[in-house]
Amino acid sequence: MNFVIPPPVQASIPVAGGGDFPVHRIYCVGRNYAEHAVEMGFSGREPPFFFLKPADAVVPVHEGETGTIDYPSLTRNFHHEIELVVAIGHGGRNIAAADAQSHIWGYAVGLDMTRRDLQGEMKKQGRPWCIGKAFDHSAPIGPLVPRARTGELLAGRISLAVNGSLKQQGDLRELIWSVNETIEQLSAAWDLAPGDLIFTGTPAGVGPVVPGDLMEGSIAGLGTLKVAVR
Ligand code: MN
């Protein structure tokens, strides 16, 4: 290869216990917990739908550290969404839900940070969500825990506190579309590749953060992701 400008730095997230996981694409599932769907003005089990963030939207947060993100431009309503992140180790297309587990490399705690006012405006106008969801530094992620260590994550508490006050809580068993079903649906639409991350949706209780706030998101078995807003 004879690049005419320096190639971009490979986006990555740390692996618990050492090493780094290169990030290829970031897929996100919309409205995947019933109570959150209701708080966003929807109800019932709709077919899963997806949006993407750029790989370099990740903010890697290492074990024991507190990440920092700047309050983003253009918004006056910057929201937290705590989510289980699934990392794909083996790619594929048309992966059956029953085979999905063998494609998972590991799991992490992630934040699908959202410029809610801009997302809402785009929704109203029937325009793409990119400006509300796919902006720089919109995907802080903690250390990736190998599936070999956790086993299949089917249940467990997921929660988020802001400045020590509980804002979001739920259980992974409340996912409308399970991780395996999500991989089946996603891989029907895109060829999944090693390095792909999937944000699996957020439980109810999303809300705003402002500069000076500290978010602490936890998932049973995966630890706590701490991110400060500057
Ligand atoms: Mn989300």
Side-chain angles (χ1 to χ4, degrees):
M1 207 71 75
N2 185 21
F3 294 120
V4 297
I5 58 168
V9 173
Q10 172 65 55
S12 67
I13 55 174
V15 173
D20 297 281
F21 185 88
V23 178
H24 178 242
R25 291 180 185 165
I26 305 175
Y27 296 99
C28 306
V29 186
R31 298 193 289 265
N32 203 18
Y33 288 81
E35 279 177 49
H36 173 63
V38 169
E39 76 180 349
M40 299 308 287
F42 294 82
S43 63
R45 196 189 206 217
E46 55 189 338
F49 67 92
F50 307 104
F51 57 91
L52 288 97
K53 292 176 187 265
D56 65 356
V58 292
V59 178
V61 181
H62 290 77
E63 217 149 13
E65 291 183 349
T66 298
T68 302
I69 53 174
D70 288 326
Y71 196 89
S73 63
L74 302 181
T75 185
R76 290 181 167 188
N77 198 16
F78 184 39
H79 272 205
H80 54 73
E81 294 191 359
I82 183 71
E83 306 200 7
L84 171 69
V85 178
V86 174
I88 297 296
H90 299 286
R93 69 167 71 167
N94 294 322
I95 299 165
D99 301 327
Q101 282 297 307
S102 64
H103 293 263
I104 296 176
W105 196 91
Y107 301 99
V109 181
L111 282 164
D112 167 16
M113 297 305 297
T114 302
R115 297 194 279 207
R116 190 73 71 199
D117 44 356
L118 300 183
Q119 182 201 23
E121 193 55 39
M122 292 301 112
K123 275 186 191 175
K124 224 183 324 180
Q125 298 186 32
R127 291 179 178 173
W129 289 10
C130 307
I131 200 166
K133 285 289 195 182
F135 53 96
D136 294 339
H137 315 302
S138 60
I141 305 183
L144 184 60
V145 183
R147 189 191 171 282
R149 211 166 100 188
T150 59
E152 183 176 5
L153 278 192
L154 289 166
R157 187 168 188 264
I158 175 169
S159 64
L160 180 107
V162 178
N163 303 329
S165 161
L166 184 65
K167 300 293 184 187
Q168 291 190 262
Q169 68 172 324
D171 194 287
L172 299 178
R173 68 171 65 109
E174 297 161 2
L175 281 169
I176 295 172
W177 296 95
S178 70
V179 167
N180 294 342
E181 289 170 331
T182 295
I183 289 173
E184 178 173 292
Q185 300 262 359
L186 255 184
S187 67
W190 289 272
D191 282 12
L192 292 185
D196 285 342
L197 302 179
I198 306 168
F199 276 69
T200 57
T202 198
V206 300
V209 287
V210 295
D213 283 349
L214 175 66
M215 300 177 283
E216 293 174 86
S218 300
I219 297 175
L222 302 179
T224 299
L225 167 65
K226 295 184 188 181
V227 178
V229 183
R230 177 164 59 189

